[in-house]
Structure formats: structure tokens, C-alpha cells
Amino acid sequence: MTEDQAKVIGIFEARLRQMMFVHDDIKAENIAVKKGVLLLEQNLQEALDEINQLKVRYDHLKMARVISVNREDVKGSKDKLLSLVQEIDKCIALLNE
């Protein structure tokens, strides 16, 4: 083997070692990124679950509001009807006199 060939092989080996170090660094970075992605996916899923729970609670609150408003309307309507009936009774009593 000539001196030039040995030099080329030495350069090749040095570059190969550099590539192997870069590969190891990239591989470690890739593992860290994958862990980060998994963590973010878990956080996202938890946030979506919480959003769904809040939507359900909101729907329940809306329904409770509708029911409570309807009950107040019914009570108000009953009071109005009672006062109208009493007024009619007074009118009938005046007509009967």
C-alpha cells in the first residue's frame, strides 16, 4: 500500500468516525424528541378530555338554567292567572249585586 493510499484510508477512517459520532448525537436527539412528542400527545389528550368534561358540564348547566327559568315562568304564570281569576270573581260579584 502506498503512502497516498494510507493517507486516503486515514482520512476516510477519521470522517467515518466523525459520521458515527454525529449519528450517535442525532440518534440521542431523536430519542429525546420522540419522548417530547409522547409527552405533548399525553398533554393534548388530557386537555381534550378536560374540554369534553367541561362541555358536558356546560350542557348540564344550560339544561339546569332552562329548567329553573321554566319553573320561574310557571310560578309567575300561576300568579298572573290567580290574580286574573280573582279579578274576574270580583267582576262577577259586582254584576250579581
Side-chain angles (χ1 to χ4, degrees), residues 46-68:
E46 289 172 4
L48 290 174
D49 291 342
E50 185 177 355
I51 287 171
N52 288 333
Q53 289 173 357
L54 290 173
K55 283 181 181 179
V56 168
R57 286 180 57 196
Y58 176 71
D59 289 341
H60 290 164
L61 286 173
K62 281 193 325 188
M63 184 62 70
R65 175 83 173 136
V66 167
I67 290 171
S68 69

Side-chain angles (χ1 to χ4, degrees), residues 5-6 11 20 27 52 58 67 73-74 76-77 85 87 95:
Q5 291 174 335
I11 292 171
M20 290 172 63
K27 192 173 180 181
N52 288 333
Y58 176 71
I67 290 171
D73 288 345
V74 169
S77 297
V85 169
E87 222 175 292
L95 287 174

